[in-house]
Amino acid sequence: MPMPDLAWAAPTAIALAAAALVVAIIVVAVRVQRRSPRARAAAGHAVSDAAAALLALDDDVDDLDVAFEAADALDADDVPTDLRRARTTAHRARDRGFGDLLALEADTGVAARRRDQARRLRETLDARRTQVSAARTRLAEWEREHRSPADLLAAARRRRDDLVATSGDPEPLVDALRARFDDDDWSEAAVAAERARSALTDADAALRRAEADADGGYIRHATVALRLAARHLRDVEDGHRIALQAAGNADAEVAAARAEIREAIDVAASRPDACRPGAVERLRAAAVELDDAAAAATRRPREAVATVARVREERDELLGEAVSLRRRVEAARTALPGTLACARAALAAAETAGATTAATAAVMTDVTATRADHGARGESGSDDAARIAQRLRVERARRHLAEARAAADATQALTAARAAWTEVR
């Protein structure tokens, strides 16, 4: 039987091997390119563009809220359903945008994929901005048909009077804090009260101008000022409540923490290999901090509670696995309330700082005419970058606090609360 002719097999095998090698080289080159420094730089730039688009959308949604309130349309029965739905959709789009951007910032995967996702996010956010702009136009048309200047002025005055009647005079709250505590525990409330008075003065001035000039945008300016005044008045109330709560808890919290640190020092001394280097020395320094906090707790209770939260956080970091799981859970349950209080207070301060900046800009400029795109905002790139970073910190803190509230496990809740506090403290 004749043998088959296999003379063609060797060249074919060589050609197939060469083709496979070429394909492998191309795949490796593509992967290297997608992960190269240039690709990472392009991804970073795309993420920054998406962040700028989100900042613009965030401002536009705030502007839409101001427009609804200035038009006396927030709770009015005659507002069309499509306008209400457009406002709700805008809020949801902004919330999703923050979630998507935070996910992009945390993504450490393929740079090219991250770049493409960022570009798609920017396109989506720009499309949402177009929808918000259309809603503003539709609202303005509805306002002209259903609201007279006199109606809008009367509604704005009612909002002003309701705010004052509901909140009352903040000065007695500040005086009560001033009488009991040192400056650090009441100065923020005093500043908030002064800013609230200033905002109300601005609102009153705008309302007076609106009487003579119905088309000058003064109703809108008054609305922005009233929203800012409301926030500052809430800050006074929150500052008063937080200080009194801290005063009621500070002594017990400090005493418990001092006992915990003494126990932690014993653990670190007996099991040094299971703890962080220098644990005993750092815990002794923490004990001194607690001694100082105890001495000043009567006059500075908020500072004392914050010191306790920081010391407990450091203790947990230093001891690590040196204590049993049961003891770590018990420690988390003890530390959680104070840490949550500190995180909430810091978040409120950060939110107010951001709102004050945005409101000041809104009063000084007619934002509806200046935002054709997010590249021409009347601000420097560094200012925009700082605002974006601050808003993302606030958003991360909000989400961590939500995680803390939802967590069933005390250690998980404490980890989330500490993460929130770290973002904004």
Side-chain angles (χ1 to χ4, degrees):
M1 181 175 179
M3 296 292 294
D5 185 4
L6 298 179
W8 56 271
T12 300
I14 293 172
L16 290 175
L21 179 61
V22 169
V23 170
I25 292 173
I26 292 173
V27 169
V28 170
V30 169
R31 288 182 176 178
V32 169
Q33 178 65 26
R34 287 168 63 85
R35 293 172 170 81
S36 67
R38 179 178 295 179
R40 289 195 296 271
H45 183 72
V47 171
S48 296
D49 287 345
L54 179 58
L55 177 66
L57 176 62
D58 191 21
D59 287 346
D60 287 350
V61 173
D62 285 343
D63 294 341
L64 183 63
D65 285 343
V66 171
F68 261 82
E69 192 165 352
D72 193 26
L74 281 181
D75 301 314
D77 295 333
D78 58 343
V79 179
T81 302
D82 65 309
L83 275 177
R84 295 181 186 277
R85 188 180 296 118
R87 180 169 174 264
T88 301
T89 300
H91 279 262
R92 290 176 178 171
R94 176 175 61 182
D95 293 343
R96 283 195 301 270
F98 274 110
D100 292 341
L101 184 61
L102 291 175
L104 275 176
E105 288 204 329
D107 187 359
T108 58
V110 178
R113 183 189 61 201
R114 184 167 176 255
R115 177 204 62 203
D116 293 341
Q117 290 174 342
R119 288 175 176 172
R120 287 194 294 270
L121 176 58
R122 178 185 174 179
E123 292 171 357
T124 299
L125 294 172
D126 286 342
R128 296 301 186 190
R129 289 192 65 209
T130 300
Q131 294 173 358
V132 172
S133 177
R136 279 292 300 271
T137 301
R138 173 78 177 89
L139 177 62
E141 294 171 350
W142 175 85
E143 179 184 333
R144 285 192 294 270
E145 294 176 4
H146 296 84
R147 297 288 187 266
S148 69
D151 291 337
L152 296 178
L153 180 58
R157 283 178 170 158
R158 283 195 302 272
R159 291 195 299 272
R160 188 266 184 206
D161 293 342
D162 289 345
L163 174 62
V164 172
T166 301
S167 301
D169 183 4
E171 199 58 38
L173 298 180
V174 177
D175 288 342
L177 297 179
R178 188 183 288 112
R180 289 187 59 180
F181 307 125
D182 287 350
D183 290 3
D184 288 346
D185 277 40
W186 59 261
S187 59
E188 290 181 0
V191 170
E194 178 59 34
R195 288 177 174 171
R197 285 191 292 270
S198 178
L200 283 172
T201 299
D202 291 343
D204 289 339
L207 291 174
R208 286 193 298 270
R209 292 172 183 170
E211 293 180 2
D213 184 1
D215 298 324
Y218 294 114
I219 294 295
R220 180 184 177 280
H221 290 180
T223 300
V224 172
L226 288 173
R227 288 163 65 93
L228 189 56
R231 176 175 286 276
H232 288 312
L233 289 169
R234 286 196 303 271
D235 288 343
V236 176
E237 295 173 358
D238 289 343
H240 181 264
R241 173 181 51 80
I242 291 169
L244 293 186
Q245 288 178 346
N249 298 329
D251 288 339
E253 286 281 296
V254 172
R258 293 169 83 181
E260 292 165 10
I261 291 300
R262 286 194 296 269
E263 182 180 347
I265 291 173
D266 293 338
V267 172
S270 62
R271 301 189 61 191
D273 294 341
C275 301
R276 294 288 182 90
V280 172
E281 291 76 11
R282 291 170 64 181
L283 287 169
R284 285 174 178 161
V288 173
E289 289 186 53
L290 287 174
D291 290 342
D292 294 340
T298 301
R299 295 292 301 178
R300 295 197 293 273
R302 290 183 63 177
E303 179 182 331
V305 171
T307 298
V308 168
R310 287 196 304 270
V311 163
R312 282 171 167 163
E313 185 174 5
E314 185 172 19
R315 174 206 59 191
D316 292 347
E317 178 186 347
L318 292 172
L319 295 186
E321 303 297 324
V323 294
S324 67
L325 177 60
R326 180 180 64 83
R327 297 300 298 272
R328 291 200 297 274
V329 172
E330 290 174 354
R333 288 172 179 163
T334 302
L336 182 58
T339 303
L340 279 172
C342 292
R344 288 169 180 151
L347 176 59
E351 288 175 332
T352 296
T356 301
T357 300
T360 300
V363 169
M364 294 176 62
T365 60
D366 183 4
V367 292
T368 62
T370 59
R371 289 178 182 161
D373 59 57
H374 54 260
R377 301 173 53 83
E379 300 179 18
S380 69
S382 60
D383 288 342
D384 270 357
R387 292 179 65 207
I388 292 166
Q390 173 63 10
R391 293 195 190 190
L392 289 178
R393 284 194 295 270
V394 168
E395 187 63 25
R396 279 191 290 265
R398 287 172 180 162
R399 289 167 186 259
H400 286 313
L401 275 178
E403 292 172 12
R405 289 192 295 267
D409 179 78
T411 55
Q412 294 176 353
L414 180 61
T415 298
R418 284 172 172 168
W421 192 26
T422 299
E423 287 290 346
V424 288
R425 68 183 175 189

